[in-house]
Amino acid sequence: AADFEQLNSVEEIGPKIAESVAAFFRQESNKQVIAKLRVAGVTMTARAEMALTPTLAGTTWVFTGTMTRMTRAEAGEQVKARGGKAVGSVSQKTDYVVAGSDAGSKLDKARELGVDILTEDEFIEHLNE
């Protein structure tokens, strides 16, 4: 039911994605598919996740390169579940950059700004602390 403005106000969603999502849900054929899925018993709400200790509260993370033990999206969710913030670009507000293989300009920017850089294994150690 969210409109363009509501979607656009969500962190990490820009105007192009907001418009695409809003347009998708305005189409009658898509509404019909969703209704059929509901009738078929598809759950349309997220499951409640077990609450984790906010060990990463107040920290901002960026993931770059190819990760092998989880996707960057999954890593971001792990950070959020622990009270941290996962963002898409490196800035002076970034606390950590996790660099997988083939990391590029984000890694360079992190070095330039003096941001702490971790490997994927070091990141997982932070999750387990």
Side-chain angles (χ1 to χ4, degrees), residues 94-115:
T94 306
D95 295 295
Y96 298 97
V97 169
V98 179
S101 62
D102 300 323
S105 61
K106 291 178 187 177
L107 179 58
D108 295 336
K109 179 79 171 187
R111 287 179 179 139
E112 177 185 315
L113 294 174
V115 174

Side-chain angles (χ1 to χ4, degrees), residues 10-73:
V10 174
E11 187 175 335
E12 299 286 324
I13 294 182
K16 288 184 180 182
I17 297 295
E19 180 52 39
S20 294
V21 171
F24 176 88
F25 285 103
R26 284 193 301 264
Q27 293 179 10
E28 191 58 37
S29 60
N30 292 333
K31 291 178 184 179
Q32 291 172 4
V33 169
I34 292 167
K36 288 178 183 177
L37 290 170
R38 279 197 171 107
V39 169
V42 174
T43 303
M44 299 286 177
T45 57
R47 292 179 293 170
E49 296 291 327
M50 189 170 78
L52 296 172
T53 305
T55 55
L56 303 179
T59 59
T60 301
W61 297 73
V62 173
F63 300 92
T64 186
T66 303
M67 297 176 65
T68 59
R69 296 175 67 183
M70 65 181 76
T71 67
R72 292 187 297 190

